[in-house]
Amino acid sequence: MALEITETTMTATTNGKVIATATRTGKVWHATTWPTPLDRNGAITALTLAELTITHGKDDPCVIDLREELTRG
């Protein structure tokens, strides 16, 4: 996975294909793979979670833990 981060956007790619993005609006980030606004670290976690879900599956313990962490905010 490659993760490109600028001041206002984040892009996660796997095998040259964009799998998720996040855009900053004001002080919050909106990730294409997460339904609620996030802080910067949460957006990075959401993009990482997208990649792990693709490569390890939704039932992988790490995927489950990261999803729960994002849910707690």
Side-chain angles (χ1 to χ4, degrees):
M1 177 177 102
L3 185 59
E4 182 180 333
I5 301 173
T6 70
E7 290 293 319
T8 58
T9 63
M10 297 181 192
T11 305
T13 58
T14 298
N15 298 325
K17 180 180 176 185
V18 174
I19 59 168
T21 62
T23 305
R24 189 180 75 176
T25 304
K27 294 183 179 183
V28 298
W29 289 84
H30 299 276
T32 57
T33 57
W34 197 254
T36 58
L38 301 160
D39 62 15
R40 183 177 185 275
N41 290 338
I44 293 168
T45 301
L47 272 60
T48 302
L49 179 58
E51 191 269 339
L52 288 173
T53 301
I54 289 169
T55 59
H56 291 73
K58 67 180 183 174
D59 296 325
D60 180 79
C62 186
V63 169
I64 293 167
D65 286 345
L66 286 175
R67 193 179 316 118
E68 289 175 1
E69 179 180 324
L70 282 178
T71 302
R72 288 191 299 267

